[in-house]
Amino acid sequence: MALQVVRFEQDGNWAWGVHHAGRIAPIGDRWKTTGAFLSEGGPEAAAATNPAGAIPLEAVHLLSPVTADRDYICQATNYGSHLREIGRDPKDQVHNVIFHKASSCLSGPQDDVIKPSHVQLLDYEVELGLVVGAAVAGAIDPTPQTLHRWIGALVVTNDISARDVQVSHEQFCKAKSYRTFGPTGPFLLLPEPGELARWGELVLTLSVNGSERQRAPASDMIFDPVATLAELSRIRDLRPGDLIATGTPSGVALKVPSAPLMFIGKFLSPAARYKAFVRGQLKNPAYLKDGDVIECGIATPDGTIDLGRQRTRVRAA
């Protein structure tokens, strides 16, 4: 059965532990990074933990179980439902869109999301994260049954996005890389090989102030983990601890302007088009504001595979 591993802080010290029914059994701090944990005996130590003497989950501060020393790789427009909500046909998505967030944006599952003072359109995106467990230094051809050889863990991540920056700067990386724009965790889920093959059964959910905004199965992905890992292996090396965020389903705050407005926009200068976009989007109350509480999680409907739920609050800089 999948193990729910946490990285936590208590009394100024941090350590790894295994979550058992609301309590944490510590397993030490000898693995300084997630990559080291996954490739240097951490999963074996976690499997051998004795829950006796575990400490209450409420007594610790949970850290991101993915450390910031590795790459944060992302997929864009990878859910059919998300493409449809932005006015595109999933059948037309012929390429796997890959970009990066700065790993310095990673934050814990209970930490505040800091809204920069110049950002007006702050958005959310719950995503299934794949954590690389074994180095990839050349082309590989994984299958659902062999995916576990290279993917060591699963994690919940929230791809916080400054849409006004994204549109005006015409890029993903800057808009999504501000510090705290990557709440991750609570659990570094270590699935059994057969459980990892069930990734499509996982359901992603996100709510803001108790109102559900996103809910979809991971099977709605266009480029699944097997295809994405194979493609990435033909482009670049991967190292233990790298995070691959696999895209978000429908329900984000961003709303695409109507077809007539899009047509008119073609005749405007870039500056005028951007100002018109912001004016239109500011009428949408779904964007995140100071004090908003975001909750998101990923699990199978039967609860046998559960990556946990994170709860973060938006705080104005």
Side-chain angles (χ1 to χ4, degrees):
M1 186 174 179
L3 292 173
Q4 297 173 328
V5 172
V6 296
R7 187 167 157 265
F8 68 94
E9 185 177 44
Q10 185 182 40
D11 300 327
N13 300 307
W14 72 270
W16 295 92
V18 179
H19 175 251
H20 297 279
R23 301 182 72 83
I24 296 173
I27 52 176
D29 63 356
R30 69 182 180 89
W31 304 280
K32 303 305 179 187
T33 67
T34 305
F37 179 85
L38 290 173
S39 60
E40 298 174 13
E44 291 77 13
T49 357
N50 186 344
I55 55 181
L57 187 63
E58 301 78 28
V60 305
H61 176 71
L62 294 179
L63 306 172
S64 167
V66 178
T67 52
D69 58 304
R70 291 289 191 255
D71 289 344
Y72 192 153
I73 306 161
C74 303
Q75 291 175 263
T77 54
N78 193 37
Y79 274 73
S81 61
H82 182 47
L83 278 165
R84 285 187 288 272
E85 80 172 337
I86 61 174
R88 292 166 55 183
D89 188 337
K91 295 177 183 176
D92 296 334
Q93 186 75 3
V94 296
H95 297 299
N96 197 351
V97 180
I98 304 294
F99 67 96
H100 286 78
K101 286 172 72 102
S103 58
S104 53
C105 78
L106 286 167
S107 57
Q110 303 165 335
D111 295 340
D112 289 347
V113 172
I114 308 301
K115 181 179 181 291
S117 57
H118 65 281
V119 171
Q120 301 178 81
L121 306 176
L122 192 67
D123 209 347
Y124 49 82
E125 296 185 2
V126 60
E127 306 202 8
L128 171 63
L130 314 175
V131 186
V132 176
V136 176
I140 58 173
D141 291 295
T143 67
Q145 291 71 37
T146 64
L147 190 61
H148 67 277
R149 296 180 187 174
W150 300 280
I151 300 302
L154 302 176
V155 72
V156 180
T157 190
N158 187 356
D159 178 18
I160 302 292
S161 306
R163 299 299 191 191
D164 38 353
V165 176
Q166 180 180 328
V167 171
S168 66
H169 293 239
E170 299 182 333
Q171 60 173 295
F172 291 123
C173 182
K174 188 185 296 185
K176 295 167 175 278
S177 290
Y178 292 93
R179 289 175 180 82
T180 75
F181 274 28
T184 301
F187 303 138
L188 186 73
L189 191 87
L190 308 181
E192 298 289 342
E195 292 174 322
L196 186 56
R198 296 175 56 196
W199 66 268
E201 299 175 39
L202 294 166
V203 176
L204 292 72
T205 60
L206 181 143
S207 66
V208 177
N209 300 328
S211 176
E212 187 170 276
R213 302 276 184 91
Q214 294 185 279
R215 175 178 289 271
S219 59
D220 191 37
M221 284 186 205
I222 297 169
F223 298 97
D224 66 27
V226 172
T228 297
L229 188 60
E231 182 175 359
L232 286 173
S233 76
R234 284 160 172 77
I235 300 169
R236 52 160 295 161
D237 290 348
L238 296 167
R239 300 172 294 172
D242 282 344
L243 174 62
I244 304 170
T246 53
T248 199
S250 63
V252 299
L254 176 69
K255 297 294 180 256
V256 174
S258 65
L261 289 177
M262 294 282 280
F263 178 78
I264 294 170
K266 294 179 181 179
F267 301 97
L268 301 176
S269 68
R273 187 163 55 246
Y274 167 67
K275 289 180 182 177
F277 167 80
V278 172
R279 281 198 304 270
Q281 296 294 309
L282 285 174
K283 299 174 184 177
N284 178 4
Y287 282 103
L288 297 169
K289 302 174 290 298
D290 182 37
D292 282 349
V293 175
I294 314 163
E295 295 186 70
C296 54
I298 302 176
T300 55
D302 62 7
T304 57
I305 305 175
D306 188 352
L307 283 62
R309 293 190 63 80
Q310 58 176 247
R311 187 179 190 273
T312 56
R313 185 181 297 273
V314 178
R315 177 164 60 87

